């Protein structure tokens, strides 16, 4: 016990002064006490879920649209004339969920090429190719695009990051210029839906 408190106990100070000193001492001790920690303050804050895409190794390819002639067997030729809407969209080999918009946006930024999630173009056409004897083929309208590798990084609510397996994507160019469309001969059976560049004169 301090000397001042001993003097107070012995009555060396007037009663009013003693009371004031006791109150002040009690206040000081209260200020030194550690504030209790609330349970909510001990819970870690959750991270917002975010998904980003890492992309690499773009290659120029020709991707099949939904426009194709009937199958024909040579000798002879395939003469394909018509008009309508040619549709094509981004395709991936991923076994996990993919945001096509976010994936294409990442590819555009990284590769400096204008790509699109989906393309729809109304036009007319007339094209012909010769067929050798015994060959069964069709004509397929293709559009230039990019084949590239990618993986997805996901930030989870517990602030850990999950990385997917590697996959590939095929994304068409955004432009509807005729320079970016090409006819390809697809031999039976129809196993090819994209073609390396150049092939078939495009």
């Amino acid at each position: 016990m301090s000397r001042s408190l001993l003097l107070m106990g012995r009555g060396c100070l007037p009663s009013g002064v003693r009371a004031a000193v006791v109150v002040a001492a009690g206040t000081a001790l209260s200020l030194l006490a550690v504030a209790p920690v609330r349970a909510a303050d001990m819970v870690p804050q959750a991270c917002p879920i975010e998904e980003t895409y890492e992309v690499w190794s773009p290659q120029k390819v020709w991707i099949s649209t939904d426009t194709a002639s009937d199958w024909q067997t040579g000798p002879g030729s395939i003469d394909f004339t018509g008009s309508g809407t040619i549709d094509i969209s981004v395709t991936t080999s991923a076994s996990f969920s993919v945001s096509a918009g976010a994936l294409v946006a990442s590819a555009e930024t990284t590769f400096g090429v204008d790509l699109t999630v989906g393309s729809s173009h109304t036009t007319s056409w007339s094209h012909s190719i010769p067929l050798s004897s015994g060959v069964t083929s069709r004509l397929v309208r293709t559009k230039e695009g990019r084949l590239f590798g990618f993986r997805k990084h996901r930030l989870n609510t517990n602030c850990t990051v999950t990385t997917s397996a590697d996959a590939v994507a095929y994304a068409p160019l955004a432009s509807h210029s005729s320079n970016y469309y090409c006819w390809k001969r697809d031999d039976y059976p129809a196993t090819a839906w994209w073609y390396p560049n150049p092939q078939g004169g495009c």
Side-chain angles (χ1 to χ4, degrees):
M1 184 177 295
S2 68
R3 180 175 178 78
S4 57
L5 292 180
L6 285 172
L7 291 173
M8 286 179 3
R10 295 174 182 175
C12 296
L13 293 175
S15 60
V17 176
R18 288 201 304 271
V21 171
V22 170
V23 171
T27 302
L29 291 175
S30 298
L31 292 174
L32 292 174
V34 178
V37 177
R38 297 175 300 173
D41 295 334
M42 300 177 64
V43 178
Q45 297 299 309
C47 286
I49 296 177
E50 295 180 358
E51 294 182 349
T52 57
Y53 292 88
E54 178 186 357
V55 297
W56 63 85
S57 301
Q59 301 177 47
K60 179 180 177 180
V61 294
W62 297 93
I63 307 170
S64 297
T65 68
D66 64 344
T67 301
S69 71
D70 294 331
W71 293 100
Q72 294 189 37
T73 301
S77 63
I78 300 176
D79 302 300
F80 189 31
T81 300
S83 62
T85 301
I86 299 175
D87 294 319
I88 187 173
S89 59
V90 63
T91 307
T92 79
S93 67
S95 59
F96 48 88
S97 63
V98 174
S99 168
L103 174 61
V104 168
S106 179
E108 287 183 308
T109 300
T110 304
F111 306 145
V113 179
D114 290 332
L115 302 172
T116 183
V117 171
S119 171
S120 184
H121 180 49
T122 301
T123 186
S124 59
W125 58 85
S126 180
H127 197 71
S128 179
I129 60 170
L131 280 181
S132 301
S133 178
V135 175
T136 299
S137 302
R138 65 176 180 172
L139 274 172
V140 178
R141 188 67 161 167
T142 65
K143 186 175 185 181
E144 182 183 329
R146 294 296 182 269
L147 161 65
F148 57 91
F150 76 95
R151 65 175 66 100
K152 179 173 72 172
H153 302 286
R154 175 185 169 92
L155 176 63
N156 303 301
T157 55
N158 63 357
C159 301
T160 61
V161 176
T162 302
T163 299
S164 72
D166 292 354
V168 295
Y170 308 82
L173 296 185
S175 173
H176 292 309
S177 170
S178 60
N179 295 330
Y180 300 126
Y181 288 90
C182 179
W183 290 104
K184 297 287 188 180
R185 192 186 84 183
D186 187 23
D187 295 333
Y188 184 86
T191 56
W193 57 272
W194 69 273
Y195 306 83
N197 182 72
Q199 184 192 35
C202 292

